Amino acid sequence: MEDQIVISNIEMLVERKDIKNMYIRILPPDGKVKITVPEAISDDAIRMFAISRIAWIKKQKANFQNQSRQTKRQYISGESHFLWGKRYRLEVVYSGVRNDVFIKGDKLFLQVRKESTQEQRETAMEEWYREQIKQAIPAVLEKYAKIVGKAPDDWRVKNMRTKWGTCNPIKRRIWLNLQLAKKTPECLDYVIVHELVHLYVKNHDDEFRSYMDQFYPNWQVVKKQLNEQMLDWME
Ligand SMILES: [Zn+2]
């Protein structure tokens, strides 16, 4: 069942579910607010909860609106594309043999069939980024698992719209955004440490922050850098 409430002129969707605690999410692409609540909770309690979080909601909505996304790529020669924070000029070359992506000097070559669609080019690039980050992750994970004292049972890579990483502490699984391959290497370090710390602490509370201080003292600086960098344009 879904209702709607309005607080401070902000419309909020209310979703009732079989859960214990209320939570609020700000959804892409336009910052819609959704409150998920336990089945039996009263409307007053929901309103109280939303009011108590109104400053946070406003801030998150503003972030959404301000976060500039990269313009949609067309995958044509001359575009800039990034790998580990370094900029490369895209050079599209045609081949009937197979798709390939490779770097030579300061150029990134995308080899595709001449009749390939923009979507197929995008997929070839995405798969290449996925390979790059999958090659990089094991060493970084091994290094920081030793420092943090926790290791996941499983890790996976995904192209995500709004998050750099997530952790499921119960399944002991972490997900990393393949777009991290475009950012400077310390961004991957930071996100990995962050997700490993979630194997100790669920929320971003004081305890979480003190673990971060201990295991990755520069985390606040890298976090800021990362949040200033753009996520890809995605539909
Ligand atoms: Zn987190």
Side-chain angles (χ1 to χ4, degrees), residues 194-195 198 204 208:
H194 180 114
E195 303 311 337
H198 276 313
H204 304 119
F208 182 92

Side-chain angles (χ1 to χ4, degrees), residues 79-139:
E79 281 178 351
S80 289
H81 288 260
F82 289 81
L83 178 68
W84 303 121
K86 197 171 173 299
R87 181 198 293 266
Y88 295 90
R89 188 178 181 278
L90 187 69
E91 203 68 54
V92 179
V93 291
Y94 300 120
S95 159
V97 187
R98 61 183 184 97
N99 291 348
D100 198 9
V101 182
F102 55 94
I103 282 175
K104 230 185 221 173
D106 59 358
K107 285 188 180 163
L108 197 159
F109 290 86
L110 170 61
Q111 178 184 298
V112 283
R113 282 177 301 108
K114 194 164 188 175
E115 63 275 21
S116 62
T117 63
Q118 189 173 308
E119 208 179 4
Q120 287 166 332
R121 294 174 188 207
E122 184 171 12
T123 304
M125 287 288 289
E126 193 179 306
E127 287 315 303
W128 180 74
Y129 278 117
R130 190 184 299 275
E131 273 168 38
Q132 302 306 307
I133 196 165
K134 280 188 156 180
Q135 280 169 23
I137 288 168

